Amino acid sequence: MRVALSKSENELLKSIYRQGRDNGRVHTGVLADLLGVAPGTITAVVKRLAERNLLDHNPYRGVELTQAGRRAAVAVMRRHRIVERFLSDMLGYAWNEADRLAGSFEHHLPQEVEDRLYVALDRPASCPHGFPIPPPDVAEIPEMPPLYSLEPGDVATIAVPGSTDASVVEFLGAMGLRPSVRVEVKEKHPFDGPLVLEVDGHMRTVSEKVARQIFVKTEELFEERI
Amino acid sequence: MRVALSKSENELLKSIYRQGRDNGRVHTGVLADLLGVAPGTITAVVKRLAERNLLDHNPYRGVELTQAGRRAAVAVMRRHRIVERFLSDMLGYAWNEADRLAGSFEHHLPQEVEDRLYVALDRPASCPHGFPIPPPDVAEIPEMPPLYSLEPGDVATIAVPGSTDASVVEFLGAMGLRPSVRVEVKEKHPFDGPLVLEVDGHMRTVSEKVARQIFVKTEELFEERI
DNA sequence: ATCTCCTTTTTGATGGCTCAAAACCAGGGT
DNA sequence: ACCCTGGTTTTGAGCCATCAAAAAGGAGAT
């Protein structure tokens, strides 16, 4: 890993990491859609990355991150989340605005500045969306299950992805369902029915569809971390 | 000015602005040296910039900024200085370290973030080196004369360029000659002799050579600004 | 008026990023 | 087994940044 990766290389690693959590192998077409770029472009970037042993490329059959690739991908996510924190904590952006802007300049930030930023922000444990900021140099970020996977009695802290559409974000806001908020599942209606939660003393109902777009850090994971 | 300028275009504008303050016309060779790049590279960038009417190019005879080019160059300097302030005020970098780092990512910062940063920093009037941060959209930054151009009795605030070499910076520090410090000229020895200053209650002597590397904002300019 | 020297511009080359369109293959249907 | 189709890779092209080396121009010297 002699020289720094370019912006598109970094973005590609991130996308592969996210897509490949369970699937393992990721197809270039998926990546092209995800990054909004022509299919040929992905192949070109993939080739350079495979050259550097950051991923395995099985022509016509998909790509998979190597250990080094996973580490690089996680580093990209770490940086992204630190920059988001900077945008929200220091510049006053709302949590749902930070995502968009961070992507536009995070790749050019020197490592040194990222490190100082992390310290200046007081070593935050999570980004404004509620996702954890991993330690440097790890190859995995703890998986966060969807809110809908919880059962009555479970308690968890929620995270809301930056990709959530604006109307949903507004709806969640009205119910106090903001990142890093603690919730307890009270009821889960059968047959993909809605979830009833206690949020900040209030009872709230969310549909299955919405509860699959929200992710959670459960108590056990929470404790481990302390 | 439809689309954003690239990094090298921005750097080139800045260099031409600085070189061309008095000379007017600047030769490409000078710019190649300044930016540490092959002469042909400068010609290529100059061509694109001339296309956009940011500068006049007289082949084999040098370039000159247009009005729009001056405005763009000043915007680049404004951004650079704001980022320097961020590095020093928010991340704790020493004033003489900020310069180097700022250059590495300032060009990728969205305008929007620059604006927010400026506000979050409390609309600073100058960069950590003591040079003024111009208002948006102007085509000139007030010229700062060298310290050596002052006469006994003159009072001024000093600015120290980022290009000053480390040993000189250390020497200046030992005498309390830091950016934005107020000095009064007490004596000026003839025949390019040294300058005697009062700095923070102490009498200090600096050679002509050093006094030409430091720049000043005189009282009159200072008052105007308030 | 010419010539020479120094500077500037042009000309290939490379590498990153991207696209559209052509060529290519893998796997499913027959 | 064979072929078709849809997704994947290649190819050809353009733009930016950069270099080394070749070509061209200017300006002063003869």
Side-chain angles (χ1 to χ4, degrees):
Chain A
M1 211 209 286
R2 300 183 325 295
V3 86
L5 298 167
S6 73
K7 172 167 171 149
S8 23
E9 290 164 342
N10 278 316
E11 284 302 315
L12 188 57
L13 287 174
K14 210 201 288 183
S15 294
I16 297 174
Y17 182 84
R18 273 204 280 255
Q19 283 301 305
R21 292 202 92 143
D22 9 62
N23 333 26
R25 200 161 260 124
V26 184
H27 285 267
T28 58
V30 179
L31 297 167
D33 287 349
L34 233 47
L35 299 180
V37 97
T41 305
I42 298 294
T43 310
V45 181
V46 157
K47 252 184 171 169
R48 289 201 304 274
L49 250 21
E51 204 87 343
R52 292 192 183 218
N53 297 310
L54 293 173
L55 44 82
D56 270 343
H57 182 205
N58 257 35
Y60 292 102
R61 232 170 274 150
V63 298
E64 195 169 0
L65 291 173
T66 62
Q67 183 69 8
R70 262 194 299 282
R71 215 176 297 119
V74 171
V76 175
M77 295 169 79
R78 174 180 155 88
R79 172 167 297 190
H80 180 79
R81 291 173 186 182
I82 291 172
V83 172
E84 281 185 333
R85 265 259 92 90
F86 158 66
L87 291 170
S88 85
D89 293 7
M90 288 180 162
L91 301 193
Y93 279 98
W95 67 269
N96 55 328
E97 294 179 309
D99 188 59
R100 165 181 65 91
L101 279 166
S104 63
F105 68 96
E106 56 182 17
H107 305 295
H108 305 282
L109 220 54
Q111 183 58 47
E112 194 189 338
V113 172
E114 177 194 320
D115 294 340
R116 284 253 198 168
L117 204 44
Y118 182 65
V119 173
L121 288 164
D122 217 13
R123 302 167 201 275
S126 65
C127 77
H129 295 89
F131 292 101
I133 293 179
D137 281 322
V138 299
E140 291 299 338
I141 294 184
E143 182 98 51
M144 288 179 79
L147 171 57
Y148 201 71
S149 69
L150 297 187
E151 294 302 326
D154 289 346
V155 175
T157 306
I158 72 166
V160 185
S163 57
T164 313
D165 51 275
S167 55
V168 173
V169 166
E170 196 183 349
F171 167 71
L172 294 176
M175 299 202 308
L177 281 168
R178 266 177 292 279
S180 299
V181 156
R182 217 58 169 293
V183 303
E184 182 178 343
V185 178
K186 290 300 191 184
E187 294 176 53
K188 188 175 190 175
H189 291 275
F191 308 116
D192 294 341
L195 224 51
V196 180
L197 309 168
E198 184 178 328
V199 184
D200 199 24
H202 300 277
M203 285 305 183
R204 307 296 195 184
T205 303
V206 294
S207 68
E208 176 258 350
K209 184 155 170 289
V210 168
R212 285 204 189 281
Q213 289 181 52
I214 300 175
F215 296 84
V216 295
K217 186 155 60 189
T218 56
E219 277 309 286
E220 305 86 67
L221 283 171
F222 203 82
E223 297 302 329
E224 268 178 36
R225 200 156 279 279
I226 294 170
Chain B
M1 207 210 289
R2 298 183 326 293
V3 85
L5 298 167
S6 71
K7 171 167 171 150
S8 23
E9 290 165 342
N10 277 318
E11 283 302 315
L12 187 58
L13 286 174
K14 209 200 291 183
S15 293
I16 298 173
Y17 182 85
R18 273 204 279 255
Q19 282 301 306
R21 293 204 91 142
D22 9 60
N23 335 21
R25 198 161 262 123
V26 185
H27 285 267
T28 57
V30 179
L31 297 167
D33 287 349
L34 231 47
L35 298 180
V37 101
T41 304
I42 297 294
T43 308
V45 181
V46 157
K47 253 186 173 167
R48 289 202 305 272
L49 251 21
E51 203 87 339
R52 293 197 183 213
N53 297 310
L54 293 174
L55 44 81
D56 271 344
H57 183 205
N58 257 36
Y60 292 103
R61 229 169 274 148
V63 298
E64 196 168 0
L65 291 172
T66 62
Q67 183 68 12
R70 261 194 300 282
R71 216 176 297 118
V74 171
V76 174
M77 294 168 78
R78 173 179 156 87
R79 171 167 298 190
H80 180 79
R81 290 173 187 182
I82 290 172
V83 171
E84 282 185 334
R85 267 258 93 91
F86 157 67
L87 291 169
S88 84
D89 293 9
M90 289 181 159
L91 301 193
Y93 279 98
W95 66 269
N96 56 327
E97 295 179 307
D99 188 60
R100 164 180 67 90
L101 279 166
S104 62
F105 68 96
E106 57 183 14
H107 304 296
H108 305 282
L109 220 53
Q111 183 60 48
E112 197 188 335
V113 173
E114 178 194 320
D115 295 340
R116 284 254 199 167
L117 204 43
Y118 182 65
V119 173
L121 288 164
D122 218 14
R123 302 167 200 277
S126 63
C127 76
H129 294 89
F131 292 101
I133 293 179
D137 280 322
V138 298
E140 291 299 338
I141 293 185
E143 183 97 53
M144 288 180 78
L147 172 59
Y148 202 72
S149 70
L150 297 187
E151 294 301 324
D154 288 346
V155 175
T157 306
I158 72 168
V160 184
S163 57
T164 312
D165 51 274
S167 56
V168 174
V169 166
E170 194 182 354
F171 168 71
L172 293 176
M175 299 202 308
L177 281 167
R178 266 177 294 278
S180 301
V181 155
R182 215 61 167 292
V183 303
E184 181 176 344
V185 177
K186 291 299 191 183
E187 296 176 52
K188 187 176 191 176
H189 291 274
F191 308 114
D192 294 339
L195 223 51
V196 179
L197 310 168
E198 185 178 327
V199 184
D200 197 26
H202 300 278
M203 286 307 184
R204 305 297 193 183
T205 303
V206 292
S207 68
E208 175 256 352
K209 181 153 171 292
V210 168
R212 283 201 188 285
Q213 288 181 54
I214 299 175
F215 297 85
V216 295
K217 187 155 60 186
T218 57
E219 276 309 287
E220 305 88 65
L221 283 173
F222 204 81
E223 296 301 328
E224 265 178 38
R225 197 157 280 276
I226 294 170

